[in-house]
Amino acid sequence: EMYYVYHEIHRFINQPFTNLLPEALFNMSRFLVLQMMNRTPKYISKSSTLLTLAKQSTNVEAYITARYAYDRLQSLIVPSRLQEFVDIGVLTIRGKPLQDKE
């Protein structure tokens, strides 16, 4: 189940386009983050999952969740090809409201 969900997240990170809605990617990445609190299976990247959660949280205006994901990302070793996205996201999220849309 976790590998099936991660497959979509991996495709989102590595391919320029996706056919999934932002809400679907948000829920998939949120599911994986919650599952990975207990254990992290082999071949599932925490940094890719958290980056997807952060990006999609910003897209659906869930800014509290986005801040949480970016805070967790800053404590991880992120691949160099993704580090620029993390740095820009951290700066961007600071300019957003301290509450969610709802």
Side-chain angles (χ1 to χ4, degrees):
E1 185 174 71
M2 290 176 72
Y3 289 109
Y4 175 76
V5 172
Y6 181 70
H7 174 71
E8 296 298 333
I9 289 174
H10 181 68
R11 283 183 39 200
F12 171 73
I13 292 292
N14 293 310
Q15 294 180 356
F17 301 103
T18 182
N19 60 350
L20 296 173
L21 295 172
E23 292 84 5
L25 283 167
F26 170 73
N27 287 321
M28 287 178 186
S29 57
R30 192 175 60 161
F31 167 79
L32 270 183
V33 167
L34 290 173
Q35 292 294 318
M36 287 191 299
M37 287 184 145
N38 298 328
R39 63 181 176 89
T40 303
K42 275 185 153 182
Y43 309 113
I44 291 184
S45 168
K46 272 188 179 180
S47 58
S48 294
T49 304
L50 285 168
L51 183 59
T52 302
L53 180 62
K55 283 182 173 183
Q56 298 309 319
S57 296
T58 304
N59 286 344
V60 298
E61 299 179 0
Y63 300 122
I64 295 171
T65 306
R67 280 187 178 81
Y68 167 79
Y70 281 123
D71 287 344
R72 294 265 316 264
L73 274 169
Q74 288 183 316
S75 68
L76 296 176
I77 298 172
V78 179
S80 58
R81 64 185 176 85
L82 299 177
Q83 186 63 50
E84 184 178 349
F85 295 112
V86 173
D87 294 340
I88 291 171
V90 168
L91 292 174
T92 304
I93 200 66
R94 288 183 183 168
K96 301 294 182 186
L98 292 174
Q99 57 189 6
D100 290 342
K101 182 180 176 182
E102 295 179 358

